Structure formats: structure tokens, C-alpha cells
Amino acid sequence: MNSTIRAFAFDAYGTLFDVYSVTALCEELFPGHGNALAVLWRAKQLQYSVLRSLMNRYKDFWEVTIDALIHAAHQLGLDLSTTQRQRLMGAYLTLATFPDVRPGLESLKALGLRLAILSNGSPNMLVAAVSHAGIADLVDLVLSVDEIKTFKPSPEVYRLVESRLKMPLNAVGFVSSNSWDVHGAGSAGLTTFWIQRRASEPSEELGYPAAFVVHTISELARLIR
Amino acid sequence: MNSTIRAFAFDAYGTLFDVYSVTALCEELFPGHGNALAVLWRAKQLQYSVLRSLMNRYKDFWEVTIDALIHAAHQLGLDLSTTQRQRLMGAYLTLATFPDVRPGLESLKALGLRLAILSNGSPNMLVAAVSHAGIADLVDLVLSVDEIKTFKPSPEVYRLVESRLKMPLNAVGFVSSNSWDVHGAGSAGLTTFWIQRRASEPSEELGYPAAFVVHTISELARLIR
């Protein structure tokens, strides 16, 4: 069906790595507030990345994630010590990998496709996460927005795949569980695949819905064979 | 103290007009879900305005507000009819005005200051809201981002006051209850005043906190006298 697809670029956070796997440590440090802290931390991280991009005040994703954690703790009335902050940020380097990631990537690799990661994460964060997930052998290229100093969904971010993979945009399938990220990539000209990780989750209303909707990475190989 | 301030530019939604005054109608239409719908609608409205700006896919605030309402209803599992959507959007044209607005603006006007509104709102929305609030006699200039087709916190938005009020940026006090908006204006060079409408609300962590923090618009005149 999509015989034109010659490579896949994957979003990292929420797509390959489970950002809510920090919830257990949040709960250990702040009993009764773990879930609220993990959810607000993630929401603020995304909000700050977009606001800073629009303000032309880029700061790398590690720093943005620290700022988001500090604000989330304040907003919930939690007193965050330096040690607690460091432990929580450390957890961001060893996020859990979703179970469909390794088998899904292997099945795409077996079809001869090139595989890349295209992420807001800073290079250090991505090196740590890929290593912890044990998928370095399956990923040909790790692209961080840090080389252009703006975050998703700036079109410049998605166009990185063209210059770095040396392929036309529409030959690259972009895969994300974040619906807004899918709309951003679609608006920039990529062929988009939304991993709808929760069945009840509606698409965002941003004008560029996914070309394909799947529930696991393992479904992608069947779609393009 | 701030004798250099010769004009004030006010954010509209959340600062002059209470965006949560739609909650009663939300509750009437969707009993038990009114508060959740009003909160998510507002959050999505802001998120979509920023995401669309970064995607270079501007749509005016009226359209963005409709998209946000549609998504919020979907996400909460509510079945939103065309009539219900039209009633809720109609409520956005007649939002309640905070009680400190008229006395606060009058006290600034009495000091000979020029007063403007600088808002994400589309021109039609702002005309309706100002008229409904009965403050047209106090506002010298209503500036909408629609003339430059990008939303806050793009620096271009805040710089509109320079060309349209014909004053240097630092002679204009920017007033908003939205902390991220304050950071955006501060980053662009304006003197910023944060109306902290809820005492427990922490500032965002975006690097440009308010020069002054107040709790009502009525406090501004005392600060600059």
C-alpha cells in the first residue's frame, strides 16, 4: 500500500519510551500525589517547549524538563528538594520502553527500511534512553531538535529527515503517539502514522490528521508490505 | 516609581473577561461535566493557538476556539450538537467582566494614561466583548493578533504596541493574568504586570517573570503614581 515509504522516523517520548513510568518514583517521593505530579510534569514539559520556541528562547529539553518539574511541584504545593529533583530527572534517563518497540522495529528492519528517531530530547537524553532500551542496533540515526534550536511542531524539525536521511519528505513515514506531533509532521509534508495508545483518545483538531492510525508499532510492517 | 509608563496594554481573556463564566452554560448543557468542559476547552484553546503559530498554520481565534470546544467535548465523551456548539460559542461573546476592570481602568485613565487591549481574540470577538463589558469609552485602542496572523507569545505580537501606540516598548506596561503571557511580553521588552487572580498560583518557569505582581487592576494606579 505504501510502497513509497523507505524509512520511518519515530518520535521518542510517549512513542518509544513511556514518560509515565516516572509515576512510581513520583508516588514514592510524594505519596498520594504521584499520578498528578507525573501528568502535570509531562504537560508542562510540552507546554514550555512550545512556548519557548514561539518566544525564540530555546533552552534544551533537559533544562525545559527541569523547569517543568519545578513548576509542577509548586503548582501542586509540593516541596521539591534538590535531591528529589535529581532523582526524578535521573528517572527520565531510564524510562521504560513500550513492549511493542523492539519487535516492531525488528519487523521493519527486516523489510530493509531505514529507521530514525526524531525527538525534542537533547542528544544526551536520547543516547541514554536508546542505550537503556537496548535498541541501538536497530536505529540508524538519532536526530535531536537541538541542532536547530527549536521544538516540535516547527516545520523545520520535521524537514530534518529530508537532509539527514537524504530522502524526499513523503518517502519518510513519521510515527508518533502524540496526536499534535502527527499533525505537525503532516503539515510539514511527511506521511504520518498515529500510534493511538489509548483506544478512547480523540485526535487533536489541528487540520492534519494521521494518514494511518495503528495501536502498536508492530502493526506498521503489515501496513507497508 | 514607574513614571516612565505612559500607556497600559491589557490582555483580554482571563484578565478583563472571565473565560470560566461559560461554566454555568457548560453545566446546564452537560450536567456533571460543566467544570471539566470549561477547563479543558480553555486549555485546548491556548494549546491550539500556540501549536498553530509554531506550525505556521494560523486560523483566527474564533475558529481555534471552535476546534478547542469540539476536541474538549470528544475527549470528555460528550456528544456536542451543532446547536449546543453555537450556544457555547455565543457565550464567548458575552463573557462576564471581572469587577475590578471598570474602576481599575477609570483610575488609570484619570492619570492621563493611554489604555489598549492586546489580545489573541479576533476583531469581531473583541468588539463584542468590549461592548458587552461597557468599557468602550475607557479603551483607546483594541489590538488583535489577527493583523499579523500569529498568536502570543510570538514577540511580534507584543511589538505591535510600539508601532500602534507610537511609544517605545518599555514605556508600555503590559498587564495579564496569564503568567505565560507575562513571560512572553517581558521577553519581548515590555514592562510587565502580572494580575495573580488566584493567590496560590505560581509563576510559570519561562525566564521572564513579571516586574510587578498585583491582585487586581485597581492596584495598578497606585504602583505608577
Side-chain angles (χ1 to χ4, degrees), chain A residues 8-17 19 42 45-47 49-50 53 61 116-121 126 143-145 148 150-161 169 172-197 201-212 217, chain B residues 44 47-48 50-52 54-55 57 71:
Chain A
F8 275 104
F10 290 85
D11 170 53
Y13 296 107
T15 301
L16 304 179
F17 312 125
V19 294
R42 169 65 173 169
Q45 178 197 49
L46 292 176
Q47 186 191 13
S49 68
V50 179
S53 297
F61 204 56
I117 289 174
L118 176 63
S119 169
N120 273 344
L126 292 172
L143 298 173
S144 164
V145 303
I148 55 169
T150 188
F151 291 105
K152 298 174 177 181
S154 298
E156 293 79 2
V157 171
Y158 304 104
R159 291 188 191 129
L160 271 177
V161 300
L169 282 177
V172 181
F174 180 74
V175 185
S176 181
S177 68
N178 297 294
S179 177
W180 60 269
D181 191 16
V182 166
H183 283 254
S187 169
L190 286 77
T191 302
T192 53
F193 297 77
W194 180 31
I195 310 265
Q196 190 195 31
R197 291 213 176 269
E201 187 183 0
S203 169
E204 301 289 0
E205 296 286 334
L206 289 164
Y208 299 86
F212 301 92
I217 294 173
Chain B
K44 282 286 155 188
Q47 187 191 12
Y48 286 0
V50 178
L51 288 170
R52 280 193 167 272
L54 206 52
M55 289 163 69
R57 299 290 185 181
H71 181 84

XYZ file of all heavy atoms in Angstrom, chain A residues 8-17 19 42 45-47 49-50 53 61 116-121 126 143-145 148 150-161 169 172-197 201-212 217, chain B residues 44 47-48 50-52 54-55 57 71:
731
model
N 11.388 5.083 8.315
C 10.484 5.566 9.353
C 11.264 6.430 10.338
O 12.387 6.072 10.719
C 9.842 4.395 10.123
C 8.623 3.836 9.465
C 8.681 2.622 8.776
C 7.415 4.513 9.522
C 7.550 2.100 8.162
C 6.282 3.997 8.915
C 6.348 2.794 8.236
N 10.646 7.538 10.725
C 11.202 8.366 11.797
C 10.221 8.289 12.959
O 9.016 8.523 12.780
C 11.370 9.805 11.329
N 10.740 7.941 14.123
C 9.896 7.762 15.306
C 10.089 8.898 16.299
O 11.219 9.278 16.622
C 10.256 6.451 16.036
C 9.861 5.224 15.287
C 10.693 4.698 14.307
C 8.651 4.593 15.539
C 10.326 3.563 13.597
C 8.276 3.450 14.836
C 9.117 2.938 13.859
N 8.977 9.401 16.793
C 9.025 10.230 17.992
C 9.538 9.348 19.139
O 9.357 8.116 19.112
C 7.621 10.737 18.314
C 7.560 11.391 19.677
O 8.366 12.296 19.933
O 6.715 10.960 20.501
N 10.164 9.954 20.145
C 10.732 9.167 21.247
C 9.806 9.117 22.470
O 9.335 8.044 22.880
C 12.092 9.744 21.651
N 9.529 10.292 23.068
C 8.846 10.328 24.365
C 7.335 10.132 24.214
O 6.656 10.925 23.592
C 9.179 11.632 25.097
C 10.658 11.701 25.414
C 11.514 12.556 24.717
C 11.202 10.847 26.366
C 12.885 12.568 24.988
C 12.564 10.852 26.638
C 13.390 11.711 25.946
O 14.740 11.709 26.201
N 6.844 9.056 24.793
C 5.435 8.698 24.673
C 5.212 7.675 23.577
O 4.209 6.958 23.581
N 6.156 7.603 22.620
C 6.014 6.687 21.480
C 6.873 5.439 21.677
O 6.384 4.319 21.617
C 6.369 7.424 20.169
O 5.502 8.544 20.034
C 6.249 6.510 18.963
N 8.180 5.650 21.937
C 9.071 4.521 22.237
C 9.211 4.344 23.749
O 9.232 3.222 24.262
C 10.466 4.769 21.636
C 10.543 5.036 20.125
C 11.997 5.292 19.724
C 9.967 3.860 19.332
N 9.307 5.459 24.440
C 9.599 5.453 25.882
C 8.375 5.964 26.651
O 7.779 6.968 26.276
C 10.812 6.336 26.174
C 11.971 6.077 25.250
C 12.552 7.100 24.514
C 12.467 4.781 25.077
C 13.614 6.853 23.643
C 13.528 4.517 24.208
C 14.097 5.560 23.487
N 6.739 7.927 29.183
C 7.037 9.061 30.076
C 6.351 8.911 31.434
O 6.790 9.503 32.420
C 6.638 10.421 29.449
C 7.505 10.729 28.235
C 5.157 10.454 29.067
N 4.641 16.236 32.671
C 4.656 15.999 31.231
C 3.942 17.125 30.476
O 4.435 17.620 29.455
C 3.988 14.652 30.935
C 3.691 14.355 29.485
C 4.935 14.221 28.632
N 4.617 13.765 27.283
C 5.486 13.773 26.275
N 6.720 14.221 26.455
N 5.143 13.341 25.087
N 6.093 20.182 30.475
C 7.274 19.975 29.621
C 6.925 20.309 28.160
O 7.662 21.029 27.479
C 7.715 18.514 29.761
C 8.895 18.110 28.908
C 8.979 16.586 28.810
O 7.977 15.910 28.528
N 10.157 16.047 29.057
N 5.795 19.791 27.698
C 5.372 20.051 26.321
C 5.000 21.520 26.143
O 5.371 22.155 25.165
C 4.194 19.150 25.945
C 4.535 17.668 25.841
C 3.281 16.852 25.566
C 5.584 17.426 24.742
N 4.257 22.061 27.114
C 3.833 23.465 27.011
C 5.049 24.393 26.942
O 5.108 25.294 26.108
C 2.949 23.830 28.211
C 2.338 25.229 28.100
C 1.693 25.700 29.397
O 1.878 25.112 30.465
N 0.936 26.769 29.301
N 8.099 23.690 26.010
C 8.886 23.529 24.778
C 8.263 24.354 23.645
O 8.981 25.006 22.879
C 9.012 22.048 24.391
O 7.766 21.512 24.002
N 6.940 24.344 23.575
C 6.263 25.083 22.504
C 6.323 26.588 22.765
O 6.621 27.384 21.865
C 4.804 24.595 22.362
C 4.085 25.374 21.285
C 4.772 23.116 22.028
N 9.753 27.961 22.050
C 10.008 28.029 20.597
C 9.374 29.283 20.007
O 10.002 29.993 19.229
C 9.436 26.793 19.902
O 10.083 25.626 20.346
N 16.009 20.393 25.984
C 14.871 19.670 26.563
C 15.162 19.222 27.992
O 14.246 19.095 28.798
C 14.542 18.462 25.683
C 13.114 17.981 25.795
C 12.050 18.823 25.551
C 12.832 16.643 26.099
C 10.729 18.370 25.630
C 11.523 16.182 26.179
C 10.468 17.051 25.942
N 14.869 5.868 12.042
C 15.454 7.012 12.738
C 14.576 7.398 13.923
O 13.398 7.020 13.998
C 15.573 8.197 11.780
N 15.168 8.129 14.845
C 14.415 8.784 15.912
C 14.481 10.280 15.642
O 15.550 10.791 15.279
C 15.008 8.445 17.299
C 14.716 6.978 17.652
C 14.465 9.382 18.378
C 15.376 6.506 18.945
N 13.342 10.964 15.778
C 13.294 12.423 15.591
C 12.591 12.988 16.820
O 11.381 12.845 16.972
C 12.509 12.783 14.324
C 12.313 14.278 14.058
C 13.650 14.978 13.828
C 11.381 14.505 12.866
N 13.355 13.621 17.689
C 12.842 13.915 19.028
C 13.205 15.307 19.526
O 14.242 15.869 19.171
C 13.405 12.865 20.001
O 13.164 13.226 21.336
N 12.336 15.828 20.392
C 12.628 17.051 21.142
C 13.793 16.861 22.112
O 14.409 17.835 22.545
C 11.403 17.447 21.983
C 10.402 18.301 21.223
O 10.712 18.868 20.173
N 9.194 18.405 21.770
N 14.071 15.626 22.487
C 15.075 15.346 23.513
C 16.451 15.871 23.161
O 16.822 15.930 21.987
N 18.771 11.364 24.696
C 18.414 10.336 23.712
C 19.425 9.194 23.706
O 19.047 8.022 23.600
C 18.284 10.965 22.316
C 17.088 11.928 22.177
C 17.139 12.664 20.837
C 15.762 11.184 22.322
N 18.048 11.807 15.591
C 18.009 13.240 15.293
C 17.365 13.994 16.441
O 16.240 13.697 16.837
C 17.196 13.495 14.018
C 17.736 12.872 12.734
C 16.732 13.062 11.586
C 19.068 13.511 12.379
N 18.092 14.987 16.955
C 17.561 15.838 18.019
C 17.299 17.228 17.469
O 18.074 17.752 16.654
C 18.585 15.937 19.159
O 18.257 17.021 20.004
N 16.201 17.844 17.938
C 15.909 19.225 17.549
C 17.017 20.175 17.995
O 17.081 21.315 17.533
C 14.577 19.733 18.164
C 13.414 18.836 17.758
C 14.664 19.853 19.681
N 18.878 22.423 15.619
C 18.280 23.620 15.002
C 17.639 24.551 16.039
O 17.089 25.593 15.679
C 17.255 23.266 13.905
C 16.171 22.323 14.440
C 17.950 22.629 12.698
C 14.994 22.160 13.497
N 14.954 24.666 17.979
C 13.530 24.951 18.121
C 12.854 23.597 18.315
O 13.426 22.559 17.965
C 12.945 25.691 16.909
O 11.591 26.096 17.200
C 12.925 24.812 15.657
N 11.667 23.591 18.888
C 10.998 22.324 19.185
C 9.887 22.029 18.176
O 9.454 22.891 17.406
C 10.410 22.371 20.599
C 11.448 22.373 21.701
C 11.739 23.527 22.413
C 12.139 21.204 22.024
C 12.694 23.529 23.428
C 13.093 21.196 23.025
C 13.375 22.360 23.732
N 9.413 20.788 18.206
C 8.183 20.417 17.510
C 7.027 21.271 18.022
O 7.024 21.608 19.202
C 7.857 18.945 17.780
C 8.882 17.957 17.297
C 8.480 16.571 17.784
C 9.431 15.511 17.264
N 9.009 14.162 17.731
N 6.021 21.603 17.202
C 5.842 21.193 15.810
C 6.339 22.221 14.787
O 5.674 22.432 13.768
C 4.327 21.030 15.716
C 3.793 22.126 16.616
C 4.807 22.268 17.729
N 7.490 22.851 15.014
C 8.072 23.708 13.969
C 8.317 22.857 12.725
O 8.929 21.789 12.825
C 9.431 24.266 14.421
O 9.317 25.059 15.553
N 7.920 23.318 11.551
C 8.149 22.509 10.344
C 9.632 22.206 10.113
O 9.966 21.146 9.581
C 7.550 23.372 9.217
C 7.223 24.703 9.809
C 7.143 24.541 11.278
N 10.513 23.106 10.536
C 11.959 22.881 10.373
C 12.396 21.569 11.018
O 13.335 20.926 10.553
C 12.761 24.025 11.021
C 12.618 25.379 10.351
C 11.331 26.110 10.714
O 10.538 25.577 11.537
O 11.093 27.194 10.169
N 11.752 21.206 12.117
C 12.124 19.965 12.807
C 11.872 18.767 11.907
O 12.753 17.921 11.701
C 11.334 19.809 14.127
C 11.559 18.421 14.727
C 11.707 20.916 15.117
N 10.669 18.699 11.343
C 10.303 17.523 10.544
C 11.118 17.461 9.247
O 11.408 16.387 8.735
C 8.797 17.526 10.265
C 8.000 17.582 11.548
C 7.385 18.752 11.973
C 7.931 16.460 12.381
C 6.684 18.812 13.169
C 7.235 16.510 13.579
C 6.621 17.693 13.970
O 5.941 17.754 15.159
N 11.490 18.644 8.747
C 12.267 18.685 7.494
C 13.696 18.207 7.683
O 14.410 17.978 6.707
C 12.227 20.098 6.903
C 10.834 20.413 6.402
C 10.749 21.727 5.632
N 9.341 22.069 5.429
C 8.804 23.258 5.720
N 9.548 24.232 6.215
N 7.512 23.459 5.520
N 14.110 18.052 8.954
C 15.439 17.486 9.216
C 15.593 16.106 8.582
O 16.696 15.727 8.180
C 15.660 17.334 10.727
C 16.260 18.505 11.502
C 16.318 18.147 12.981
C 17.648 18.856 10.976
N 14.516 15.344 8.502
C 14.637 13.977 7.963
C 15.055 14.000 6.497
O 15.750 13.100 6.024
C 13.333 13.134 8.126
C 12.948 12.998 9.595
C 12.186 13.709 7.313
N 10.571 14.078 1.600
C 9.726 14.031 2.804
C 8.655 12.944 2.740
O 8.401 12.254 3.728
C 9.032 15.381 3.015
C 9.893 16.499 3.618
C 9.078 17.783 3.693
C 10.387 16.092 5.008
N 9.265 9.319 3.817
C 9.529 9.039 5.229
C 8.204 8.947 5.977
O 7.390 9.873 5.943
C 10.413 10.134 5.861
C 10.701 9.810 7.322
C 11.721 10.292 5.075
N 7.994 7.826 6.621
C 6.830 7.677 7.484
C 7.177 8.209 8.863
O 8.195 7.818 9.437
N 6.340 9.102 9.379
C 6.594 9.638 10.718
C 5.606 9.008 11.684
O 4.397 8.999 11.437
C 6.449 11.156 10.744
C 6.699 11.720 12.118
C 7.979 11.798 12.625
C 5.637 12.130 12.925
C 8.222 12.284 13.907
C 5.865 12.615 14.210
C 7.162 12.694 14.698
N 6.127 8.493 12.792
C 5.338 7.716 13.741
C 5.364 8.377 15.111
O 6.445 8.598 15.679
C 5.910 6.289 13.883
C 5.006 5.447 14.785
C 6.112 5.628 12.523
N 4.192 8.697 15.638
C 4.138 9.292 16.981
C 2.839 8.901 17.668
O 1.804 8.738 17.026
C 4.229 10.818 16.896
O 4.189 11.391 18.196
N 2.909 8.779 18.982
C 1.700 8.565 19.776
C 1.067 9.894 20.174
O -0.036 9.923 20.706
C 2.034 7.790 21.049
O 2.816 8.594 21.902
N 1.802 10.982 19.933
C 1.306 12.312 20.299
C 0.574 12.906 19.099
O 1.202 13.268 18.097
C 2.481 13.211 20.703
C 3.205 12.693 21.932
O 2.646 12.668 23.021
N 4.450 12.254 21.758
N -0.725 13.046 19.222
C -1.531 13.476 18.079
C -1.089 14.842 17.541
O -1.029 15.057 16.330
C -3.007 13.503 18.472
O -3.797 13.988 17.414
N -0.745 15.766 18.429
C -0.322 17.094 17.950
C 0.957 16.993 17.123
O 1.163 17.747 16.167
C -0.131 18.064 19.135
C 0.900 17.598 20.117
C 0.686 16.824 21.222
C 2.312 17.829 20.055
N 1.877 16.559 21.847
C 2.890 17.170 21.163
C 3.146 18.539 19.179
C 4.256 17.182 21.416
C 4.508 18.555 19.431
C 5.053 17.893 20.541
N 1.817 16.033 17.463
C 3.080 15.806 16.756
C 2.793 15.253 15.359
O 3.426 15.648 14.361
C 3.890 14.814 17.606
C 5.329 14.623 17.195
O 5.869 15.450 16.439
O 5.932 13.634 17.669
N 1.795 14.376 15.277
C 1.347 13.839 13.990
C 0.842 14.972 13.094
O 1.192 15.053 11.907
C 0.236 12.781 14.211
C -0.478 12.454 12.915
C 0.830 11.519 14.856
N 0.016 15.864 13.644
C -0.494 16.995 12.854
C 0.666 17.880 12.385
O 0.665 18.357 11.241
C -1.488 17.819 13.676
C -2.839 17.187 13.799
N -3.942 17.633 13.109
C -3.267 16.125 14.534
C -4.996 16.884 13.418
N -4.617 15.968 14.292
N 1.635 18.097 13.250
C 2.784 18.928 12.879
C 3.571 18.314 11.736
O 3.957 19.000 10.783
N 3.804 17.004 11.806
C 4.562 16.312 10.760
C 3.765 16.271 9.454
O 4.324 16.459 8.365
C 4.904 14.892 11.221
N 2.469 16.049 9.558
C 1.620 16.031 8.370
C 1.594 17.396 7.688
O 1.679 17.501 6.459
N 1.517 18.442 8.489
C 1.534 19.805 7.951
C 2.848 20.101 7.239
O 2.888 20.853 6.263
C 1.313 20.796 9.099
O 1.573 22.120 8.699
N 3.933 19.464 7.698
C 5.258 19.679 7.097
C 5.485 18.792 5.881
O 6.494 18.940 5.192
C 6.353 19.435 8.142
N 4.580 17.853 5.608
C 4.678 17.075 4.374
C 5.055 15.609 4.519
O 5.210 14.915 3.519
N 5.206 15.107 5.748
C 5.544 13.694 5.928
C 4.283 12.825 5.873
O 3.167 13.314 6.058
C 6.270 13.474 7.268
C 7.728 13.942 7.324
C 7.825 15.455 7.469
C 8.461 13.276 8.484
N 4.474 11.537 5.618
C 3.375 10.568 5.682
C 3.266 10.125 7.140
O 4.230 9.606 7.701
C 3.666 9.358 4.778
O 3.861 9.832 3.444
C 2.509 8.369 4.808
N 2.099 10.304 7.743
C 2.028 10.167 9.195
C 1.263 8.939 9.669
O 0.255 8.542 9.077
C 1.391 11.420 9.824
O 0.138 11.671 9.186
C 2.304 12.628 9.663
N 1.763 8.369 10.755
C 1.198 7.187 11.396
C 1.006 7.522 12.871
O 1.979 7.797 13.585
C 2.151 5.991 11.260
C 2.395 5.576 9.839
C 3.252 6.310 9.020
C 1.770 4.458 9.314
C 3.476 5.937 7.699
C 1.991 4.075 7.995
C 2.840 4.818 7.183
N -0.241 7.500 13.306
C -0.520 7.792 14.712
C -0.653 6.495 15.488
O -1.485 5.647 15.159
C -1.815 8.607 14.828
C -2.206 8.971 16.235
C -1.377 9.198 17.292
C -3.542 9.166 16.742
N -2.090 9.527 18.418
C -3.428 9.509 18.110
C -4.808 9.092 16.171
C -4.532 9.772 18.920
C -5.911 9.354 16.971
C -5.771 9.698 18.332
N 0.198 6.327 16.508
C 0.048 5.190 17.423
C -0.937 5.634 18.500
O -0.582 6.375 19.422
C 1.381 4.820 18.116
C 2.524 4.679 17.119
C 1.200 3.576 18.995
C 2.776 3.300 16.645
N -2.160 5.204 18.368
C -3.186 5.592 19.336
C -3.072 4.628 20.522
O -3.639 3.541 20.513
C -4.569 5.504 18.667
C -5.688 6.115 19.503
C -7.054 5.701 18.995
O -7.205 4.599 18.468
N -8.053 6.542 19.192
N -2.343 5.040 21.549
C -2.044 4.115 22.651
C -3.231 3.905 23.587
O -3.303 2.908 24.284
C -0.788 4.554 23.416
C 0.498 4.401 22.589
C 1.714 4.045 23.454
N 2.922 3.816 22.673
C 3.301 2.628 22.202
N 2.579 1.557 22.449
N 4.411 2.517 21.509
N -8.787 7.811 22.991
C -8.176 9.126 22.786
C -8.567 9.713 21.430
O -8.309 9.108 20.388
C -6.643 8.974 22.854
C -5.912 10.295 22.830
C -4.391 10.128 22.818
O -3.908 8.983 22.824
O -3.716 11.164 22.781
N -9.156 10.912 21.417
C -9.504 11.513 20.125
C -8.291 12.212 19.509
O -7.394 12.649 20.227
C -10.578 12.536 20.495
C -10.274 12.934 21.897
C -9.590 11.750 22.555
N -8.294 12.327 18.195
C -7.261 13.108 17.510
C -7.396 14.576 17.902
O -8.483 15.048 18.224
C -7.452 12.964 15.994
O -6.658 13.893 15.285
N -6.281 15.307 17.879
C -6.375 16.753 18.050
C -7.062 17.354 16.830
O -7.117 16.735 15.760
C -4.969 17.370 18.207
C -4.166 16.833 19.376
C -4.670 17.281 20.742
O -5.661 18.029 20.826
O -4.053 16.872 21.750
N -7.574 18.589 16.984
C -8.240 19.298 15.882
C -7.285 20.361 15.352
O -7.403 21.541 15.652
C -9.548 19.938 16.386
C -10.603 18.968 16.862
C -11.287 18.224 15.726
O -11.342 18.748 14.605
O -11.765 17.091 15.970
N -6.298 19.912 14.573
C -5.282 20.852 14.088
C -5.126 20.811 12.574
O -4.173 21.364 12.024
C -3.941 20.580 14.788
C -3.891 20.978 16.275
C -2.699 20.330 16.974
C -3.800 22.510 16.418
N -6.050 20.127 11.908
C -6.098 20.225 10.452
C -5.289 19.211 9.659
O -5.452 19.120 8.439
N -4.423 18.438 10.319
C -3.563 17.491 9.586
C -3.560 16.125 10.254
O -2.536 15.667 10.752
C -2.133 18.064 9.443
C -2.155 19.346 8.667
C -2.389 20.561 9.319
C -2.055 19.345 7.284
C -2.494 21.747 8.596
C -2.156 20.517 6.559
C -2.371 21.717 7.217
O -2.494 22.882 6.502
N -4.728 15.456 10.273
C -4.816 14.159 10.961
C -3.937 13.104 10.289
O -3.514 13.260 9.138
C -6.297 13.795 10.834
C -6.807 14.590 9.680
C -5.995 15.857 9.652
N -3.677 12.027 11.002
C -2.800 10.965 10.529
C -3.328 10.322 9.249
O -4.536 10.121 9.093
C -2.656 9.909 11.611
N -2.397 9.952 8.379
C -2.763 9.165 7.202
C -3.188 7.760 7.631
O -4.095 7.175 7.049
C -1.586 9.105 6.234
N -2.546 7.234 8.669
C -2.846 5.886 9.170
C -2.883 5.903 10.696
O -2.072 6.572 11.324
C -1.776 4.886 8.713
C -1.665 4.800 7.215
C -0.754 5.599 6.535
C -2.497 3.950 6.489
C -0.672 5.546 5.143
C -2.412 3.890 5.099
C -1.495 4.692 4.426
N 3.424 -0.457 17.370
C 4.456 -0.315 16.343
C 4.520 -1.589 15.487
O 4.836 -1.538 14.298
C 5.801 0.012 17.017
C 5.710 1.397 17.668
C 6.961 -0.041 16.027
C 6.895 1.793 18.511
N -7.300 23.791 25.793
C -7.115 23.416 24.385
C -7.050 24.648 23.491
O -6.306 24.685 22.514
C -8.254 22.501 23.925
C -8.098 21.072 24.384
C -7.007 20.360 23.577
C -6.409 19.210 24.354
N -5.226 18.640 23.681
N -3.594 25.907 23.860
C -2.649 24.970 23.246
C -2.708 25.063 21.721
O -1.670 25.126 21.056
C -2.984 23.544 23.704
C -1.948 22.518 23.253
C -2.399 21.078 23.462
O -3.568 20.791 23.738
N -1.458 20.159 23.327
N -3.911 25.091 21.177
C -4.048 25.139 19.715
C -3.522 26.456 19.141
O -2.947 26.477 18.053
C -5.507 24.929 19.298
C -5.999 23.499 19.437
C -5.168 22.484 19.919
C -7.293 23.136 19.067
C -5.621 21.173 20.032
C -7.753 21.829 19.172
C -6.910 20.853 19.665
O -7.372 19.554 19.778
N -1.058 28.224 20.229
C 0.408 28.175 20.224
C 0.913 27.167 19.194
O 1.833 27.445 18.423
C 0.936 27.851 21.639
C 2.450 27.756 21.634
C 0.493 28.906 22.639
N 0.303 25.974 19.168
C 0.733 24.951 18.210
C 0.564 25.445 16.763
O 1.465 25.297 15.938
C -0.057 23.649 18.416
C 0.285 22.851 19.681
C -0.727 21.720 19.889
C 1.702 22.271 19.605
N -0.573 26.063 16.464
C -0.797 26.562 15.099
C 0.209 27.648 14.734
O 0.666 27.724 13.579
C -2.222 27.095 14.937
C -3.237 25.988 14.707
C -4.582 26.552 14.227
N -5.428 25.477 13.734
C -5.418 25.026 12.492
N -4.613 25.555 11.582
N -6.210 24.042 12.139
N 3.274 27.882 15.802
C 4.567 27.239 15.561
C 4.544 26.454 14.245
O 5.567 26.319 13.570
C 4.888 26.318 16.747
C 6.364 26.033 17.019
C 7.175 27.308 17.113
C 6.501 25.224 18.298
N 3.378 25.933 13.882
C 3.220 25.200 12.618
C 3.096 26.138 11.417
O 3.018 25.663 10.282
C 1.950 24.319 12.682
C 2.036 23.119 13.610
S 0.380 22.414 14.016
C -0.118 21.719 12.422
N 0.425 27.767 10.744
C -0.919 27.468 10.241
C -1.953 28.268 11.016
O -2.864 27.717 11.646
C -1.210 25.968 10.387
C -0.270 25.054 9.621
C -0.487 25.140 8.124
N 0.364 24.163 7.421
C 0.397 24.040 6.093
N -0.328 24.830 5.336
N 1.183 23.135 5.546
N -12.838 19.396 20.331
C -11.926 18.399 20.887
C -12.219 18.127 22.372
O -12.215 16.981 22.822
C -10.471 18.825 20.728
C -9.525 17.798 21.277
N -9.116 16.702 20.557
C -8.960 17.666 22.506
C -8.323 15.952 21.305
N -8.216 16.515 22.489
